[in-house]
Amino acid sequence: MSLQILPNKFKIVGLFTFFIFCGIPSIISFFMGFTQPFESNENSPFLHELLNPTIMKYANILTILGMLVYMLAKEKVEDDYITKLRLESYQLATIICLAITFILHLINAEMMFNLSYPIYIFIIIFLIIFYFKKRQLH
C-alpha cells in the first residue's frame, strides 16, 4: 500500500491552487500596504472587502489544500524506492516539526500558534527533504 493517492497530473493542480490562493491575496495586501495603510481604506472598498478575515481564512485553507494535493501526487516514475524516500521524508518532517514546536514552547510557554503555521512548516519541510533525497538518486 502506498501513501500517494493522486495521479501525477495533480501536481500541476496543487501548484496552481497554491500559487493562486497564496499569491493573489499576498500581492493585493502588499500593494495595499505599500500604497496606503490598510486602516484608511475608504478609496478602495473592493480591496478592503477582498482582504476581510473570512476570505483570507478560506484562501489560507485552499493554499494548504494545494500544497497537500501536490505532496500527495505521484511522481512521474513511482517505484518502491520513491515510496521509501517518501516515507522517510514524512518521518523526518514529523520529527523536525515536533522538535521545532517543543523548542518554541520551551522558549515561550505562552506562545500561541495559528493552526495553519505548523501545517505549512510540515509540508514545506517534507517537500524540501523529499526533493533532496530524490535528487541524491540522480
Side-chain angles (χ1 to χ4, degrees), residues 33-86:
F34 186 69
T35 58
Q36 60 187 350
F38 183 76
E39 290 80 20
S40 63
N41 210 357
E42 303 88 22
N43 297 334
S44 56
F46 172 73
L47 291 178
H48 183 60
E49 182 61 31
L50 189 63
L51 291 174
N52 81 38
T54 303
I55 291 176
M56 293 302 285
K57 180 178 87 171
Y58 289 119
N60 193 20
I61 290 169
L62 289 170
T63 301
I64 292 172
L65 184 64
M67 291 174 74
L68 198 59
V69 166
Y70 180 83
M71 187 173 87
L72 293 175
K74 291 181 180 180
E75 297 297 311
K76 284 185 181 179
V77 177
E78 190 76 32
D79 58 5
D80 288 339
Y81 190 68
I82 292 291
T83 302
K84 181 182 178 233
L85 292 180
R86 187 183 304 274

Side-chain angles (χ1 to χ4, degrees), residues 2-54:
S2 61
L3 294 171
Q4 65 281 358
I5 56 173
L6 301 172
N8 179 265
K9 61 186 168 188
F10 278 89
K11 282 198 176 288
I12 295 170
V13 173
L15 281 177
F16 181 76
T17 305
F18 170 74
F19 283 117
I20 291 298
F21 290 103
C22 178
I24 291 176
S26 299
I27 291 169
I28 291 171
S29 61
F30 172 75
F31 283 114
M32 275 183 57
F34 186 69
T35 58
Q36 60 187 350
F38 183 76
E39 290 80 20
S40 63
N41 210 357
E42 303 88 22
N43 297 334
S44 56
F46 172 73
L47 291 178
H48 183 60
E49 182 61 31
L50 189 63
L51 291 174
N52 81 38
T54 303

Side-chain angles (χ1 to χ4, degrees), residues 119-136:
I119 294 171
Y120 277 131
I121 291 171
F122 174 79
I123 293 173
I124 290 169
I125 289 173
F126 167 80
L127 291 173
I128 291 169
I129 292 169
F130 187 65
Y131 171 78
F132 283 113
K133 282 185 170 283
K134 191 170 69 171
R135 191 164 180 196
Q136 289 176 352

